[in-house]
Amino acid sequence: MASLARVVIAYLLLMVLARSAAAQTAPLPYVPVVTPNGSTLPFVMNRGVKEFRLTAEPVKREFAKGMVVNAWGYNGSTPGPTIEAVEGDRVRIFVTNKLPERTSVHWHGIFLPNGMDGVAGLNQPHIEKNETYVYEFTLRQNGVFMYHPHSDEMVQMALGMMGFFVIHPKVAPTPKVDRHFLVMLHEWYVEPGTATPNPNVMTDFNLFTFNSRVWPGTDPWVVKKGERVQFSFGNLSMDSHPIHVHGYAFEEVGTDGGPVPRSARRPETTVNVPVGATRTVEMVANEEGDWAFHCHKSHHTMNAMSHEIPNMIGVPQPTSLEQKVRSLLPGYMAMGENGMGNMMEMGRPRNTLPMMTGDGPFGPVEMGGMFTILKVRAGITSYADPGWYKHPEGTLPRNLGVLPSSSR
């Protein structure tokens, strides 16, 4: 009798595994989103319900080569993996807490029963260490939303706990969108020479990230010429971020409140992403090249920048003065007399990135933080990095050298 029971259990397990495998290999009824430097959360189908599993836990995140941060996140990463589903789906999300303190998950912007909203103490008990809670609801809208803790959120969000939740529409949009990138904006304070973000900092951050990476650690966003592209930005930091594209204009087509009516859309080159919101913009990539894409707050494209050093721009610092100061302060360097672009490779503590860095085909890019490159190419057959753009003859600025003063 016992052996018969084991056979039945084994058969049922095989059926479940086969059904899960079929769900993962079946064609998706939508174009999957792309989370650069991130991932998408897999699901299994269980009697018509999409099941997802999230584990809240401490993670190590490399912001760029040379710097690893002690963050918190989900399933080994910050931001956590992107959840994708379709309007009308029933979803069941298991959340296991492996943090050193209690937590919860709030499904930001999603219409759901009040008890599933995830505000610990208000809608549910806190999820204590090693406990698993399950959230279950039916998706009644479409758009780009977020998830994050609502339990000690000052600490947990400051350390990187957040992710995207994308609900595709039942009916595919027209015209079709070919590529859709998701980018979570965040800001951190990591004391130079250390690795753990300080959640007590409210305003004076020193690292600004796209999907918890800083330039030059951010992947390029590769698009085939002629494709219709959407970019969705989520912001759970402490500041707004004006995200700017070079060489193009886009239209804002959606927020986490819903789609923007066509009559309300207008061309823009910068979209301001407020705190606690998502913004989705759309454009057709019809111009080849390597186009900068960045936050337009200039300090947000810097790394590990101190805001306490004196302003020395225009102040002469002769070598003799530098040597005198160095006799009192060993290792002293005269800095900033003619700007800061030459300060990229000055000495710095371990696990700390240069303030401005990254090389392009013409030399130092002198950027950091919230910066990456949109690479538009004709005729590509994959979205692997195609390398630097080859400019057609006559499309680069010309160097005229030093002109006589009379001709300037």
Side-chain angles (χ1 to χ4, degrees):
M1 192 65 183
S3 61
L4 176 62
R6 282 196 293 271
V7 170
V8 171
I9 291 172
Y11 173 76
L12 292 174
L13 285 173
L14 284 173
M15 292 295 291
V16 169
L17 290 172
R19 190 166 56 222
S20 300
Q24 293 293 289
T25 57
L28 295 171
Y30 52 82
V31 177
V33 296
V34 179
T35 309
N37 300 109
S39 64
T40 296
L41 187 63
F43 66 88
V44 297
M45 292 300 299
N46 186 357
R47 299 176 184 274
V49 179
K50 281 184 178 171
E51 291 187 343
F52 300 86
R53 294 182 182 275
L54 285 175
T55 300
E57 58 189 352
V59 302
K60 299 279 189 184
R61 180 64 164 178
E62 184 180 60
F63 277 19
K65 186 178 180 181
M67 184 176 192
V68 176
V69 170
N70 298 324
W72 289 3
Y74 300 93
N75 296 30
S77 73
T78 169
T82 297
I83 297 173
E84 279 189 279
V86 179
E87 184 179 4
D89 280 350
R90 183 80 175 171
V91 296
R92 182 178 298 135
I93 307 166
F94 298 84
V95 178
T96 299
N97 181 14
K98 294 295 183 183
L99 295 172
E101 68 166 355
R102 58 194 188 184
T103 190
S104 72
V105 178
H106 165 57
W107 313 101
H108 186 114
I110 295 179
F111 302 150
L112 36 60
N114 182 247
M116 293 289 168
D117 198 41
V119 181
L122 176 65
N123 306 121
Q124 66 166 84
H126 296 262
I127 307 175
E128 300 292 342
K129 288 191 293 184
N130 297 316
E131 286 186 340
T132 296
Y133 271 53
V134 59
Y135 297 84
E136 183 168 337
F137 43 89
T138 299
L139 304 176
R140 296 149 45 192
Q141 66 206 110
N142 66 75
V144 176
F145 310 96
M146 299 180 284
Y147 63 88
H148 63 80
H150 231 296
S151 171
D152 193 14
E153 63 178 84
M154 182 197 80
V155 168
Q156 297 187 12
M157 290 168 63
L159 267 62
M161 296 190 67
M162 55 196 69
F164 280 107
F165 195 136
V166 177
I167 307 175
H168 294 276
K170 272 184 179 177
V171 179
T174 53
K176 176 189 173 189
V177 174
D178 301 293
R179 296 275 275 167
H180 187 173
F181 295 89
L182 303 181
V183 183
M184 188 68 76
L185 313 171
H186 202 38
E187 47 196 13
W188 319 65
Y189 184 81
V190 183
E191 186 74 34
T194 71
T196 302
N198 183 351
N200 298 321
V201 171
M202 292 179 62
T203 56
D204 201 10
F205 301 97
N206 65 356
L207 288 163
F208 305 87
T209 54
F210 281 169
N211 289 338
S212 300
R213 297 276 285 183
V214 298
W215 169 261
T218 50
D219 284 345
W221 304 342
V222 182
V223 171
K224 187 184 299 184
K225 183 181 179 182
E227 287 185 326
R228 181 171 293 273
V229 190
Q230 287 188 348
F231 302 91
S232 291
F233 302 97
N235 184 6
L236 291 169
S237 74
M238 294 287 284
D239 293 292
S240 65
H241 299 286
I243 305 300
H244 174 61
V245 64
H246 289 214
Y248 282 93
F250 46 52
E251 291 185 342
E252 184 176 297
V253 298
T255 76
D256 47 346
V260 176
R262 290 188 182 276
S263 59
R265 301 177 187 178
R266 61 184 182 188
E268 297 277 5
T269 64
T270 301
V271 58
N272 194 37
V273 187
V275 178
T278 72
R279 292 290 182 269
T280 297
V281 298
E282 182 177 307
M283 63 181 221
V284 176
N286 52 15
E287 192 70 36
E288 286 190 89
D290 290 341
W291 302 104
F293 219 133
H294 61 94
C295 180
H296 222 296
K297 289 183 177 177
S298 54
H299 282 210
H300 294 188
T301 50
M302 298 288 113
N303 292 328
M305 183 176 183
S306 171
H307 301 136
E308 297 175 351
I309 60 174
N311 179 10
M312 300 299 287
I313 293 178
V315 179
Q317 300 178 76
T319 303
S320 57
L321 175 62
E322 184 182 53
Q323 291 171 343
K324 287 181 180 178
V325 176
R326 193 174 294 166
S327 67
L328 300 172
L329 299 173
Y332 172 81
M333 295 173 58
M335 300 186 298
E337 178 179 332
N338 298 309
M340 300 185 185
N342 61 347
M343 294 168 57
M344 291 188 293
E345 292 305 326
M346 53 183 281
R348 57 184 180 276
R350 64 179 177 82
N351 202 46
T352 301
L353 297 170
M355 188 174 71
M356 296 179 280
T357 186
D359 290 324
F362 300 101
V365 178
E366 297 185 349
M367 299 296 275
M370 292 176 168
F371 181 90
T372 194
I373 301 169
L374 171 66
K375 296 192 173 188
V376 181
R377 300 288 190 276
I380 56 175
T381 56
S382 83
Y383 293 115
D385 186 347
W388 299 118
Y389 180 60
K390 307 297 183 189
H391 299 268
E393 188 175 351
T395 63
L396 284 170
R398 292 170 292 151
N399 182 358
L400 300 182
V402 180
L403 298 178
S405 58
S406 59
S407 60
R408 291 177 189 168

